[in-house]
């Protein structure tokens, strides 16, 4: 059976690319600061309102930090604007 999934296999290369853009703009920025900037510049995502109650995968948290979306969707424009 096949189904639509999203997760780290798609998120990782996108976040790594944005991290590279940040390091290009700020070559001396420590890795912890790069990670903090990635989190703070992400576009927040809330748990899906229509998620089936019977589904064993439960989303918890509020806008800006959820068990499904972490800090949200990486936002390259926000990240390099800082």
């Amino acid at each position: 059976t096949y189904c639509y999934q999203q997760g780290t296999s798609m998120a990782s290369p996108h976040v790594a690319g944005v991290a590279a853009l940040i390091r290009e703009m700020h070559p001396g920025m420590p890795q912890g600061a790069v990670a903090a900037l990635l989190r703070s510049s992400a576009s927040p995502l809330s748990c899906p309102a229509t998620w089936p109650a019977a589904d064993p995968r439960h989303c918890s948290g509020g806008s800006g930090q959820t068990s499904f979306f972490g800090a949200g969707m990486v936002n390259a424009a926000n990240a390099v604007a800082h």
Side-chain angles (χ1 to χ4, degrees):
T1 304
Y2 293 92
C3 64
Y4 174 77
Q5 293 286 315
Q6 56 188 353
T8 55
S9 61
M10 277 310 300
S12 295
H14 289 89
V15 173
V18 176
L21 291 172
I22 293 169
R23 291 302 296 262
E24 181 180 11
M25 299 291 291
H26 308 283
M29 185 179 276
Q31 66 186 30
V34 172
L37 182 54
L38 284 167
R39 283 190 295 276
S40 68
S41 63
S43 299
L45 296 172
S46 299
C47 290
T50 59
W51 194 258
D55 194 311
R57 299 167 295 169
H58 297 286
C59 184
S60 60
S63 181
Q65 184 64 43
T66 70
S67 59
F68 277 15
F69 305 117
M73 182 170 43
V74 68
N75 188 318
N78 282 351
V80 298
H82 290 89

XYZ file of all heavy atoms in Angstrom:
574
model
N 0.834 -1.169 0.000
C 0.000 0.000 0.000
C 0.884 1.239 0.000
O 1.878 1.295 0.717
C -0.886 0.019 1.247
O -1.641 -1.187 1.289
C -1.803 1.210 1.239
N 0.520 2.220 -0.798
C 1.238 3.479 -0.861
C 0.357 4.587 -0.313
O -0.858 4.552 -0.457
C 1.630 3.812 -2.307
C 2.636 2.861 -2.868
C 2.240 1.733 -3.572
C 3.993 3.080 -2.681
C 3.173 0.853 -4.081
C 4.930 2.198 -3.189
C 4.513 1.090 -3.886
O 5.437 0.230 -4.384
N 0.979 5.543 0.329
C 0.230 6.685 0.817
C 1.141 7.912 0.805
O 2.363 7.787 0.762
C -0.322 6.436 2.220
S 0.927 6.222 3.470
N 0.533 9.074 0.840
C 1.265 10.328 0.859
C 1.880 10.508 2.240
O 1.200 10.367 3.249
C 0.319 11.484 0.541
C 0.963 12.837 0.681
C 1.812 13.319 -0.297
C 0.734 13.610 1.803
C 2.416 14.558 -0.165
C 1.328 14.849 1.939
C 2.172 15.315 0.949
O 2.767 16.530 1.098
N 3.163 10.789 2.287
C 3.864 11.047 3.537
C 4.746 12.270 3.361
O 5.168 12.600 2.256
C 4.756 9.859 3.933
C 3.991 8.614 4.286
C 3.324 8.729 5.647
O 3.920 9.179 6.602
N 2.072 8.334 5.711
N 5.047 12.915 4.432
C 6.013 14.003 4.416
C 6.844 13.871 5.676
O 6.423 13.288 6.644
C 5.324 15.353 4.349
C 4.331 15.603 5.449
C 3.551 16.873 5.186
O 3.829 17.616 4.271
N 2.564 17.131 6.003
N 8.029 14.391 5.619
C 8.869 14.280 6.797
C 10.311 14.625 6.515
O 10.616 15.406 5.614
N 11.188 14.003 7.275
C 12.597 14.379 7.219
C 13.253 14.099 5.877
O 14.195 14.790 5.509
C 13.394 13.665 8.325
O 13.188 12.258 8.212
C 12.973 14.144 9.692
N 12.774 13.121 5.128
C 13.411 12.833 3.838
C 13.264 13.988 2.856
O 14.111 14.175 1.981
C 12.839 11.552 3.219
O 11.453 11.693 2.974
N 12.212 14.782 2.996
C 12.058 15.974 2.161
C 12.539 17.223 2.883
O 13.089 18.131 2.278
C 10.593 16.172 1.746
C 10.167 15.367 0.546
S 11.252 15.489 -0.890
C 11.229 17.204 -1.296
N 12.333 17.281 4.183
C 12.686 18.487 4.932
C 14.200 18.675 5.035
O 14.693 19.805 4.931
C 12.072 18.434 6.331
N 14.928 17.600 5.243
C 16.377 17.709 5.472
C 17.128 18.422 4.361
O 17.902 19.344 4.640
C 16.985 16.326 5.711
O 16.479 15.786 6.894
N 16.937 18.051 3.085
C 17.680 18.758 2.039
C 17.288 20.228 1.901
O 18.129 21.074 1.604
C 17.382 17.980 0.756
C 16.302 17.033 1.069
C 16.188 16.915 2.548
N 16.021 20.535 2.165
C 15.589 21.932 2.095
C 16.218 22.751 3.220
O 16.720 23.856 2.997
C 14.062 22.029 2.160
C 13.401 21.536 0.912
N 13.035 20.226 0.734
C 13.058 22.179 -0.220
C 12.503 20.090 -0.461
N 12.498 21.263 -1.061
N 16.201 22.229 4.419
C 16.782 22.940 5.557
C 18.290 23.063 5.391
O 18.868 24.117 5.682
C 16.412 22.238 6.886
C 17.148 22.861 8.059
C 14.910 22.293 7.101
N 18.943 22.024 4.887
C 20.392 22.090 4.657
C 20.728 23.176 3.642
O 21.728 23.894 3.796
C 20.914 20.740 4.181
N 19.905 23.321 2.618
C 20.120 24.373 1.630
C 19.986 25.758 2.221
O 20.782 26.656 1.938
N 18.985 25.946 3.078
C 18.801 27.246 3.717
C 19.940 27.504 4.707
O 20.438 28.626 4.808
C 17.417 27.358 4.389
C 17.272 28.671 5.137
C 16.314 27.231 3.340
N 20.387 26.473 5.400
C 21.536 26.624 6.297
C 22.772 27.059 5.514
O 23.544 27.911 5.972
C 21.808 25.324 7.051
N 22.948 26.518 4.322
C 24.076 26.924 3.477
C 23.952 28.393 3.059
O 24.953 29.116 3.015
C 24.163 26.023 2.244
N 22.734 28.833 2.765
C 22.528 30.242 2.422
C 22.862 31.143 3.612
O 23.480 32.202 3.445
C 21.073 30.480 1.994
C 20.641 29.862 0.670
C 19.135 30.019 0.483
C 21.398 30.483 -0.481
N 22.459 30.719 4.808
C 22.765 31.499 6.010
C 24.276 31.578 6.201
O 24.823 32.659 6.470
C 22.100 30.870 7.255
C 20.580 30.992 7.168
C 22.622 31.518 8.538
C 19.830 30.169 8.216
N 24.976 30.454 6.052
C 26.436 30.446 6.227
C 27.127 31.281 5.157
O 28.166 31.885 5.410
C 26.979 29.013 6.207
C 26.588 28.164 7.395
C 27.029 28.750 8.736
N 28.445 28.837 8.907
C 29.187 27.963 9.565
N 28.627 26.929 10.129
N 30.475 28.137 9.660
N 26.549 31.343 3.972
C 27.117 32.195 2.920
C 26.992 33.668 3.314
O 27.917 34.457 3.105
C 26.405 31.949 1.593
C 26.965 32.777 0.456
C 26.267 32.536 -0.867
O 25.216 31.878 -0.893
O 26.786 33.031 -1.885
N 25.845 34.042 3.891
C 25.622 35.430 4.307
C 26.408 35.779 5.575
O 26.808 36.913 5.763
C 24.134 35.675 4.563
C 23.232 35.465 3.356
S 23.451 36.685 2.071
C 22.800 38.123 2.852
N 26.596 34.783 6.437
C 27.264 34.984 7.738
C 28.291 33.863 7.943
O 28.044 32.927 8.708
C 26.240 34.963 8.873
C 25.094 35.890 8.676
N 25.196 37.254 8.872
C 23.813 35.665 8.277
C 24.031 37.812 8.617
N 23.179 36.872 8.245
N 29.448 33.948 7.279
C 30.406 32.837 7.313
C 30.904 32.466 8.712
O 31.216 31.312 8.962
C 31.569 33.329 6.457
C 31.101 34.529 5.746
C 29.895 35.040 6.447
N 30.963 33.377 9.634
C 31.471 33.078 10.963
C 30.414 32.688 11.973
O 30.716 32.478 13.149
N 29.167 32.577 11.540
C 28.085 32.275 12.480
C 28.245 30.851 13.019
O 28.385 29.908 12.256
C 26.726 32.422 11.782
C 25.539 32.243 12.709
S 23.943 32.462 11.868
C 23.790 34.241 11.942
N 28.222 30.688 14.341
C 28.333 29.351 14.926
C 27.142 28.470 14.541
O 26.043 28.976 14.288
C 28.334 29.602 16.437
C 28.600 31.057 16.601
C 28.139 31.732 15.349
N 27.354 27.157 14.536
C 26.293 26.243 14.094
C 25.046 26.333 14.956
O 23.932 26.199 14.451
C 26.803 24.812 14.030
C 27.182 24.218 15.372
C 27.806 22.853 15.217
O 28.458 22.561 14.213
N 27.630 22.011 16.204
N 25.202 26.580 16.253
C 24.028 26.734 17.111
C 23.208 27.951 16.739
O 21.976 27.931 16.813
N 23.880 29.010 16.332
C 23.181 30.228 15.910
C 22.466 30.002 14.585
O 21.374 30.536 14.369
C 24.163 31.390 15.800
N 23.076 29.212 13.703
C 22.421 28.875 12.426
C 21.145 28.092 12.716
O 20.079 28.393 12.165
C 23.360 28.075 11.493
C 22.616 27.567 10.270
C 24.555 28.916 11.077
N 21.231 27.110 13.612
C 20.047 26.311 13.961
C 18.964 27.186 14.589
O 17.783 27.044 14.259
C 20.444 25.183 14.910
N 19.359 28.092 15.470
C 18.391 28.989 16.106
C 17.728 29.898 15.071
O 16.519 30.142 15.135
C 19.068 29.818 17.186
N 18.503 30.387 14.117
C 17.950 31.247 13.072
C 16.986 30.465 12.180
O 15.931 30.982 11.788
C 19.074 31.871 12.242
C 18.660 32.826 11.133
C 17.752 33.940 11.650
C 19.886 33.421 10.461
N 17.315 29.221 11.874
C 16.403 28.389 11.088
C 15.061 28.240 11.805
O 13.998 28.377 11.189
C 17.009 27.006 10.840
C 18.101 26.927 9.795
C 18.827 25.599 9.884
C 17.530 27.132 8.409
N 15.104 27.972 13.102
C 13.864 27.799 13.870
C 13.083 29.103 13.974
O 11.866 29.125 13.782
C 14.177 27.255 15.264
C 14.482 25.775 15.289
C 14.552 25.229 16.707
N 15.659 25.788 17.469
C 16.902 25.343 17.429
N 17.204 24.315 16.658
N 17.847 25.907 18.143
N 13.769 30.197 14.285
C 13.059 31.457 14.511
C 12.523 32.079 13.225
O 11.581 32.875 13.270
C 13.966 32.456 15.234
O 15.033 32.872 14.398
N 13.086 31.737 12.082
C 12.641 32.316 10.812
C 11.653 31.427 10.065
O 11.136 31.812 9.026
C 13.846 32.616 9.912
O 14.529 31.419 9.577
N 11.356 30.246 10.609
C 10.417 29.325 9.958
C 9.001 29.890 9.987
O 8.625 30.630 10.894
C 10.451 27.968 10.648
N 8.219 29.532 8.982
C 6.796 29.899 8.948
C 6.038 28.884 9.796
O 6.057 27.691 9.497
C 6.273 29.867 7.512
O 6.972 30.794 6.720
N 5.384 29.331 10.885
C 4.730 28.380 11.788
C 3.581 27.637 11.117
O 2.875 28.185 10.276
C 4.224 29.251 12.934
C 4.233 30.637 12.433
C 5.215 30.713 11.302
N 3.429 26.382 11.496
C 2.329 25.544 11.012
C 1.634 24.936 12.219
O 2.286 24.453 13.142
C 2.861 24.422 10.114
C 3.528 24.843 8.818
C 4.184 23.644 8.139
C 2.511 25.473 7.886
N 0.316 24.938 12.208
C -0.472 24.349 13.287
C -0.815 22.904 12.958
O -0.712 22.471 11.805
C -1.770 25.134 13.486
O -1.485 26.463 13.849
N -1.249 22.176 13.956
C -1.726 20.811 13.730
C -2.939 20.862 12.794
O -3.729 21.801 12.857
C -2.132 20.166 15.048
S -0.753 19.796 16.146
N -3.080 19.864 11.916
C -4.230 19.850 11.007
C -5.555 19.783 11.777
O -5.738 18.913 12.629
C -4.024 18.584 10.178
C -2.589 18.206 10.364
C -2.178 18.737 11.694
N -6.454 20.690 11.480
C -7.753 20.750 12.170
C -8.644 19.573 11.804
O -9.511 19.174 12.583
C -8.452 22.061 11.850
N -8.442 19.006 10.634
C -9.324 17.937 10.154
C -8.690 16.559 10.288
O -9.133 15.620 9.634
C -9.699 18.190 8.685
O -8.494 18.246 7.904
C -10.472 19.487 8.533
N -7.660 16.423 11.121
C -6.980 15.132 11.267
C -7.943 14.126 11.897
O -8.580 14.422 12.907
C -5.741 15.291 12.142
C -4.823 14.123 12.058
C -4.683 13.124 12.969
C -3.913 13.818 11.007
N -3.741 12.225 12.560
C -3.262 12.618 11.349
C -3.600 14.431 9.797
C -2.304 12.033 10.527
C -2.640 13.848 8.996
C -2.009 12.672 9.355
N -8.069 12.920 11.330
C -9.021 11.931 11.863
C -8.683 11.527 13.302
O -7.546 11.187 13.615
C -8.857 10.736 10.923
C -8.148 11.256 9.718
C -7.366 12.442 10.155
N -9.673 11.543 14.164
C -9.480 11.201 15.572
C -9.020 9.753 15.757
O -8.307 9.443 16.704
C -10.762 11.458 16.346
N -9.416 8.876 14.846
C -9.062 7.460 14.965
C -7.629 7.166 14.513
O -7.123 6.081 14.767
C -10.042 6.621 14.150
N -6.980 8.107 13.869
C -5.606 7.900 13.388
C -4.661 7.849 14.591
O -4.687 8.738 15.439
C -5.206 9.034 12.447
C -3.947 8.724 11.655
O -2.953 8.301 12.266
O -3.954 8.921 10.440
N -3.820 6.820 14.688
C -2.922 6.703 15.849
C -1.814 7.762 15.886
O -1.193 7.967 16.917
C -2.333 5.300 15.716
C -2.464 4.960 14.273
C -3.697 5.686 13.792
N -1.582 8.433 14.777
C -0.575 9.500 14.747
C -1.248 10.794 15.193
O -2.013 11.388 14.447
C 0.005 9.652 13.346
C 0.698 8.382 12.844
C 0.969 8.463 11.372
N -0.322 8.514 10.663
C -0.454 8.791 9.381
N 0.596 9.049 8.647
N -1.636 8.809 8.807
N -0.958 11.234 16.387
C -1.598 12.432 16.935
C -0.641 13.600 16.890
O 0.523 13.475 17.246
C -2.058 12.186 18.371
C -3.098 11.117 18.478
N -4.404 11.312 18.091
C -3.027 9.842 18.904
C -5.084 10.200 18.276
N -4.268 9.289 18.770
N -1.138 14.729 16.470
C -0.356 15.962 16.443
C -0.609 16.713 17.740
O -1.744 16.855 18.166
C -0.764 16.827 15.245
S 0.225 18.326 15.063
N 0.458 17.166 18.364
C 0.315 17.950 19.586
C 1.167 19.206 19.477
O 2.111 19.269 18.694
C 0.734 17.129 20.806
O 2.086 16.739 20.686
N 0.818 20.194 20.245
C 1.547 21.455 20.236
C 0.717 22.551 19.603
O -0.386 22.326 19.116
N 1.253 23.760 19.634
C 0.562 24.906 19.071
C 1.320 25.469 17.887
O 2.367 24.951 17.497
N 0.806 26.531 17.319
C 1.444 27.170 16.179
C 2.864 27.570 16.552
O 3.109 28.230 17.554
C 0.648 28.401 15.753
O 1.252 29.008 14.643
N 3.804 27.157 15.768
C 5.203 27.473 16.032
C 6.004 26.298 16.552
O 7.220 26.291 16.440
N 5.351 25.276 17.101
C 6.047 24.067 17.547
C 5.035 22.949 17.710
O 4.242 22.957 18.641
C 6.783 24.302 18.861
C 7.609 23.116 19.321
C 8.747 22.787 18.371
O 9.446 23.662 17.873
N 8.958 21.513 18.094
N 5.035 22.004 16.760
C 4.123 20.862 16.841
C 4.913 19.573 16.672
O 6.042 19.573 16.185
C 3.035 20.914 15.746
O 3.630 20.669 14.470
C 2.287 22.237 15.736
N 4.282 18.484 17.060
C 4.923 17.181 16.901
C 4.966 16.750 15.437
O 5.771 15.908 15.062
C 4.193 16.124 17.733
O 2.831 16.035 17.346
N 4.126 17.316 14.591
C 4.150 17.005 13.164
C 5.133 17.884 12.398
O 5.842 17.409 11.525
C 2.763 17.211 12.534
C 1.801 16.070 12.688
C 2.009 15.038 13.586
C 0.663 16.036 11.924
C 1.112 14.001 13.720
C -0.252 15.006 12.044
C -0.029 13.986 12.945
N 5.154 19.176 12.685
C 5.880 20.132 11.855
C 7.065 20.798 12.543
O 7.694 21.679 11.962
C 4.923 21.221 11.348
C 3.726 20.674 10.625
C 2.454 20.877 11.116
C 3.875 19.955 9.456
C 1.336 20.381 10.451
C 2.776 19.444 8.785
C 1.500 19.653 9.279
N 7.379 20.423 13.764
C 8.492 21.051 14.470
C 8.277 22.554 14.579
O 7.210 23.005 14.965
N 9.282 23.328 14.189
C 9.192 24.793 14.259
C 8.404 25.377 13.096
O 8.139 26.568 13.067
C 10.592 25.400 14.291
N 8.044 24.566 12.124
C 7.271 25.042 10.984
C 7.968 24.744 9.670
O 8.833 23.886 9.587
N 7.584 25.486 8.638
C 8.157 25.301 7.309
C 9.336 26.249 7.135
O 9.225 27.451 7.392
C 7.100 25.580 6.231
C 7.611 25.358 4.824
S 6.324 25.395 3.547
C 5.311 26.777 3.995
N 10.463 25.691 6.720
C 11.661 26.503 6.513
C 11.333 27.654 5.571
O 10.582 27.485 4.612
C 12.838 25.638 6.007
C 12.616 25.116 4.598
C 14.137 26.388 6.079
N 11.873 28.823 5.880
C 11.582 30.018 5.089
C 12.908 30.685 4.751
O 13.484 31.414 5.574
C 10.658 30.957 5.875
C 10.170 32.110 5.060
O 10.921 32.712 4.300
N 8.912 32.455 5.237
N 13.396 30.456 3.543
C 14.704 30.960 3.132
C 14.752 32.482 3.127
O 15.739 33.082 3.570
C 15.064 30.409 1.745
N 13.701 33.124 2.650
C 13.702 34.593 2.598
C 13.813 35.192 3.996
O 14.570 36.139 4.209
C 12.436 35.084 1.891
N 13.056 34.650 4.955
C 13.151 35.135 6.341
C 14.526 34.877 6.919
O 15.067 35.708 7.634
C 12.090 34.466 7.225
C 10.717 35.052 7.049
O 10.531 36.062 6.397
N 9.736 34.371 7.631
N 15.084 33.715 6.642
C 16.358 33.326 7.227
C 17.501 34.211 6.777
O 18.329 34.632 7.583
C 16.665 31.859 6.909
N 17.559 34.529 5.499
C 18.694 35.336 4.993
C 18.465 36.820 5.177
O 19.406 37.602 5.038
C 19.045 35.011 3.519
C 19.470 33.556 3.377
C 17.896 35.321 2.597
N 17.246 37.231 5.539
C 16.971 38.650 5.763
C 17.532 39.125 7.096
O 17.670 40.331 7.308
C 15.467 38.904 5.712
N 17.874 38.218 7.976
C 18.395 38.585 9.304
C 19.887 38.837 9.256
O 20.633 38.288 8.587
C 18.107 37.478 10.324
C 16.646 37.404 10.635
N 15.770 36.629 9.933
C 15.913 38.042 11.566
C 14.563 36.763 10.424
N 14.624 37.630 11.420
